[in-house]
Amino acid sequence: MPRITRVYTRTGDDGTTGLGGGQRVAKDSIRIETYGTVDELNSEIGVALALGLSTRLAETLARVQNELFNVGSDLCILEEDKARMPVPVVEERHVQALERLMDELSEELPYLDNFILPGGSDGAAQLHVARTVCRRAERLAVALARQEPVGLFVVRYLNRLSDALFVMARYENLQRRIPDVLWDSHA
């Protein structure tokens, strides 16, 4: 575990930041943008939790927040450095847990025969915001993976998580007895 004795280091004043393996890279590099967006996603989930979600979702999202730290550590260490610097990473079991969660929650949800708009309860609306940030993180991870290797399950996890956040938003509305906001294609 890292020991943080102070927040500022002044080493980033030149527009670079350090990766977990010690390499210096530009703060606007796609790798930094990717795990910075994962961090933003984690914060959006924190806001959803602070708004007060159903117990089922709150417990799940507390676990997801820790998994997102695994995604961040997976991304901040280059693949070639992981043999000498083993770090927590996102794994297939994390992807499978999200799939099981979606299956379980979907059993309680009404059939969806129309697109829905972000909204409903405060918590559901915030989960939709998290979903869109997750999609951006996924797009960035895909772009990064085209340039250099990334963890085997990073993209897959982000893809499933964005789907899970959609299902969780619908579930939260159901728990609050607030209907999903349906898209009016004739508006």
Side-chain angles (χ1 to χ4, degrees):
M1 280 286 130
R3 182 168 180 246
I4 301 168
T5 57
R6 66 179 181 179
V7 174
Y8 67 92
T9 62
R10 298 186 180 127
T11 59
D13 291 350
D14 65 353
T16 65
T17 192
L19 296 178
Q23 302 88 346
R24 300 295 298 175
V25 296
K27 287 187 177 189
D28 63 353
S29 75
I30 192 162
R31 182 172 290 275
I32 302 305
E33 185 68 25
T34 303
Y35 71 78
T37 303
V38 169
D39 187 36
E40 180 185 352
L41 167 60
N42 211 337
S43 295
E44 294 289 359
I45 290 171
V47 172
L49 287 166
L51 288 171
L53 298 174
S54 66
T55 302
R56 172 83 164 102
L57 296 185
E59 291 170 356
T60 296
L61 288 169
R63 187 188 78 242
V64 165
Q65 284 193 295
N66 282 285
E67 292 169 0
L68 286 171
F69 259 71
N70 289 4
V71 173
S73 76
D74 206 337
L75 289 166
C76 85
I77 303 287
L78 300 176
E79 291 305 296
E80 61 262 21
D81 291 342
K82 287 181 181 170
R84 69 177 175 82
M85 299 182 69
V87 295
V89 297
V90 67
E91 301 171 2
E92 185 173 24
R93 67 186 171 92
H94 299 113
V95 174
Q96 291 170 345
L98 290 173
E99 291 171 351
R100 283 191 305 276
L101 171 72
M102 284 186 281
D103 291 342
E104 292 167 13
L105 297 180
S106 293
E107 286 180 11
E108 298 183 43
L109 294 171
Y111 180 74
L112 189 60
D113 57 4
N114 193 2
F115 290 108
I116 65 169
L117 301 176
S121 68
D122 291 346
Q126 182 59 40
L127 289 170
H128 280 293
V129 172
R131 173 186 56 81
T132 63
V133 173
C134 190
R135 284 288 187 211
R136 180 164 29 98
E138 178 190 5
R139 290 189 304 271
L140 288 165
V142 166
L144 175 61
R146 282 195 190 119
Q147 295 179 9
E148 54 189 279
V150 298
L152 184 60
F153 295 101
V154 167
V155 172
R156 212 175 308 173
Y157 179 83
L158 292 171
N159 180 272
R160 287 319 177 285
L161 180 56
S162 61
D163 292 339
L165 289 165
F166 175 81
V167 172
M168 285 188 255
R170 293 194 65 223
Y171 182 84
E172 181 64 16
N173 277 338
L174 180 71
Q175 296 302 300
R176 302 286 177 202
R177 294 183 170 83
I178 297 175
D180 287 321
V181 181
L182 299 179
W183 172 47
D184 177 1
S185 63
H186 304 290

